[in-house]
């Protein structure tokens, strides 16, 4: 059910901006807002899902998330203006956020500690499948059939997720009930894990480049006459991640996540530079491969680091914290980037984002690597 929820999320993330631009004449900033407002709902769900996870079963929470998504995607085809779309996107985010946090947390309880890096890498491939099939399929359908058939397909995908939830046996998903209960120190710690904040901030910082890819790539390729390659970009991105994540996970288990994070950030920055310079489809697809090898493995490395350094009883709150910061960039980023595109243009925008990613290297060292070394030395 995680993959179906993410399919509806990523497919509409790249297509809803061009849709409101074409249908309602929305500006780049407004298109970015429509694409990113889903993340506000996701943030709200993330904030409370860590606490809810200690009060309800994983199956119940997953069912609630899917039930929220099904009627929402059924209403996307209604011509109710940008206002209605904003409301739908917000509720859509609530469902996606709940499903994503609960499923990513529950899977850790099924993995042996010695193979958590590899196991998390395999599980998060479901997100990668969604990031490939979702944008690729959405843009392909839009270019060949239009938006209305896309919205109907979204309904079928959401219903498939509902059927998947009902197929899960009650009590088959482990949870925190087996762990020693801990009384929270205050209302804030029922929702977030303070120890995860530094690493979550670095993820937020680095993710601005990914936010631009999700929303602005389709608009940039349309401007440059590369529409045919915009959907293939995400397919290449996912293929590279699918090929690299298993060995990256094994490397993290054998060594440390640092051996993945540093080179991955450098590779991701190179991919962003190539996107900005892409005048041909070949260059754009090389950029897709670099971004997949870079950002695709940054994500799993950060999640592995959190799983390794967080007590299991606090893992729900830790994952909530991580995803809140990650999704904050995906929500606010498209709007902010849409404001500067008229001034910078796409080439300078992606050059700037490459610099942002490179700054993430020393930020990661200060926020996590150096602190780990100090803890080991002590």
């Amino acid at each position: 059910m995680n993959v179906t929820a993410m399919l509806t999320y990523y497919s509409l993330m790249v297509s809803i901006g061009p849709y409101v631009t074409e249908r309602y004449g929305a500006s780049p900033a407004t298109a970015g807002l429509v694409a990113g407002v889903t993340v506000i709902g996701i943030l709200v769900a993330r904030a409370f899902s860590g606490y809810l996870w200690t009060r309800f079963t994983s199956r119940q929470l997953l069912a609630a998330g899917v039930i929220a998504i099904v009627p929402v995607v059924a209403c996307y085809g209604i011509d109710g203006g940008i206002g209605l779309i904003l409301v739908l996107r917000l509720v859509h985010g609530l469902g996606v956020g709940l499903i994503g946090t609960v499923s990513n947390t529950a899977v850790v309880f099924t993995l042996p500690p010695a193979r958590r890096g590899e196991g998390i890498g395999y599980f998060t491939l479901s997100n990668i499948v969604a990031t490939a099939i979702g944008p690729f399929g959405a843009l392909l359908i839009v270019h060949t059939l239009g938006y209305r058939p896309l919205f109907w397909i979204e309904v079928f995908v959401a219903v498939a997720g509902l059927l998947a939830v009902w197929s899960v046996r009650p009590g088959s998903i482990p949870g925190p009930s087996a762990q020693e209960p801990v009384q929270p120190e205050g209302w804030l710690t029922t929702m977030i894990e303070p120890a995860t904040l530094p690493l979550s901030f670095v993820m937020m910082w680095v993710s601005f480049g990914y936010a631009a890819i999700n929303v602005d790539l389709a608009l940039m390729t349309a401007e440059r006459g590369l529409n045919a390659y915009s959907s293939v970009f995400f397919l290449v991105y996912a293929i590279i991640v699918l090929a690299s994540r298993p060995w990256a996970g094994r490397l993290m288990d054998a060594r440390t996540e640092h051996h993945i994070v540093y080179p991955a950030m450098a590779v991701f920055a190179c991919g962003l530079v190539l996107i900005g310079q892409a005048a041909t489809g070949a260059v754009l697809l090389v950029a897709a491969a670099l971004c997949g090898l870079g950002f695709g493995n940054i994500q799993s490395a950060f999640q592995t680091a959190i799983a390794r350094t967080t007590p299991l009883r606090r893992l729900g709150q830790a994952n909530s914290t991580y995803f809140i910061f990650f999704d904050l960039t995906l929500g606010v980023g498209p709007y902010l980037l849409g404001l500067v595109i008229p001034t910078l243009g796409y080439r300078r925008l992606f050059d700037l984002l490459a610099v942002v990613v490179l700054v993430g290297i020393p930020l990661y060292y200060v926020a996590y690597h150096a602190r780990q070394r100090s803890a080991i030395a002590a």
Side-chain angles (χ1 to χ4, degrees):
M1 70 289 295
N2 181 63
V3 70
T4 59
M6 295 304 163
L7 275 172
T8 65
Y9 173 56
Y10 285 110
S11 60
L12 288 169
M13 178 64 80
V14 300
S15 59
I16 202 70
Y19 170 70
V20 296
T21 299
E22 176 184 317
R23 183 78 176 179
Y24 302 109
S27 66
T30 301
L33 177 63
V34 170
V37 73
T38 306
V39 181
I40 296 176
I42 291 176
L43 289 172
V44 174
R46 303 283 200 205
F48 290 97
S49 58
Y51 169 75
L52 293 174
W53 191 62
T54 65
R55 295 293 181 267
F56 300 94
T57 68
S58 298
R59 185 174 183 270
Q60 289 171 332
L61 294 176
L62 291 172
V66 176
I67 290 171
I69 291 176
V70 172
V72 166
V73 295
C75 293
Y76 273 118
I78 299 175
D79 190 3
I82 293 180
L84 175 62
I85 293 178
L86 287 171
V87 173
L88 295 175
R89 298 289 290 159
L90 182 66
V91 179
H92 194 170
L94 289 171
V96 171
L98 188 60
I99 292 171
T101 306
V102 173
S103 60
N104 276 275
T105 302
V107 73
V108 176
F109 282 84
T110 68
L111 300 172
R115 300 189 65 188
R116 275 194 186 139
E118 183 180 0
I120 290 172
Y122 280 119
F123 174 78
T124 53
L125 288 180
S126 64
N127 289 338
I128 299 306
V129 170
T131 61
I133 297 177
F136 173 76
L139 295 176
L140 183 63
I141 292 168
V142 167
H143 294 155
T144 56
L145 301 175
Y147 287 101
R148 191 164 295 277
L150 171 65
F151 295 147
W152 277 112
I153 292 173
E154 300 287 353
V155 175
F156 292 132
V157 172
V159 171
L162 184 60
L163 295 176
V165 171
W166 294 127
S167 69
V168 176
R169 291 182 294 104
S172 62
I173 305 177
S177 58
Q179 308 300 317
E180 181 183 352
V182 174
Q183 296 297 324
E185 297 177 0
W187 67 268
L188 188 60
T189 56
T190 65
M191 295 185 290
I192 68 169
E193 172 54 50
T196 312
L197 288 173
L199 198 58
S200 300
F201 173 80
V202 179
M203 190 66 202
M204 178 183 72
W205 178 269
V206 174
S207 298
F208 272 99
Y210 185 65
I213 291 173
N214 270 331
V215 177
D216 297 313
L217 181 71
L219 300 174
M220 185 199 77
T221 53
E223 181 181 285
R224 296 182 181 181
L226 299 173
N227 267 338
Y229 293 94
S230 60
S231 59
V232 183
F233 178 98
F234 293 99
L235 184 62
V236 172
Y237 175 96
I239 290 173
I240 296 300
V241 178
L242 286 169
S244 63
R245 275 230 178 142
W247 64 258
R250 288 191 291 270
L251 178 60
M252 283 187 282
D253 286 332
R255 305 293 294 275
T256 68
E257 51 271 23
H258 315 315
H259 289 80
I260 296 297
V261 170
Y262 292 123
M265 285 189 182
V267 170
F268 183 37
C270 292
L272 292 172
V273 171
L274 277 187
I275 291 176
Q277 296 177 343
T280 66
V283 174
L284 190 65
L285 297 185
V286 171
L290 293 176
C291 290
L293 186 62
F295 189 77
N297 288 295
I298 290 172
Q299 287 178 293
S300 62
F302 273 55
Q303 287 182 259
T304 300
I306 289 172
R308 283 176 171 171
T309 57
T310 305
L312 287 179
R313 62 177 182 268
R314 296 288 300 171
L315 194 56
Q317 288 81 357
N319 276 333
S320 293
T321 306
Y322 166 81
F323 282 114
I324 285 171
F325 278 73
F326 174 59
D327 291 327
L328 185 62
T329 304
L330 298 188
V332 177
Y335 178 72
L336 295 178
L337 297 174
L339 293 176
V340 300
I341 285 173
T343 302
L344 294 179
Y346 289 110
R347 176 169 182 168
R348 283 187 290 177
L349 172 69
F350 281 100
D351 286 344
L352 175 62
L353 291 172
V355 174
V356 169
V357 172
L358 292 177
V359 172
I361 293 176
L363 288 178
Y364 173 82
Y365 179 81
V366 173
Y368 180 68
H369 192 173
R371 292 156 62 97
Q372 243 198 349
R373 293 177 64 180
S374 299
I376 294 174

